[in-house]
């Protein structure tokens, strides 16, 4: 089964830097719902917490 949440990277339009979003497959219309992160490790941590809460 595909995870409900996963971290996706994207290129920031104005400065060209890589940023990270948490993709929610159940609410695809709101791409920034869980925040936008400069640090991939932070995004992965939040994503893991969301997955654990969703399972519980």
């Amino acid at each position: 089964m595909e995870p409900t949440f996963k971290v996706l990277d994207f290129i920031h339009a104005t400065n060209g830097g890589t940023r990270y979003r948490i993709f929610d497959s159940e609410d695809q219309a709101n791409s920034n719902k869980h925040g936008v992160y400069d640090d991939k490790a932070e995004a992965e941590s939040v994503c893991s917490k969301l997955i654990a809460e969703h399972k519980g």
Side-chain angles (χ1 to χ4, degrees):
M1 182 175 186
E2 186 81 16
T4 302
F5 303 100
K6 60 183 170 182
V7 174
L8 300 178
D9 62 325
F10 68 98
I11 305 298
H12 191 273
T14 57
N15 68 13
T18 302
R19 299 185 77 192
Y20 304 92
R21 284 190 181 121
I22 298 173
F23 175 74
D24 182 349
S25 64
E26 293 182 358
D27 186 12
Q28 298 177 17
N30 191 354
S31 63
N32 293 328
K33 178 179 181 178
H34 301 290
V36 177
Y37 304 89
D38 292 321
D39 181 47
K40 186 173 185 176
E42 182 181 7
E44 293 284 358
S45 175
V46 172
C47 187
S48 294
K49 289 177 187 174
L50 289 167
I51 291 169
E53 288 172 7
H54 189 72
K55 286 182 180 178

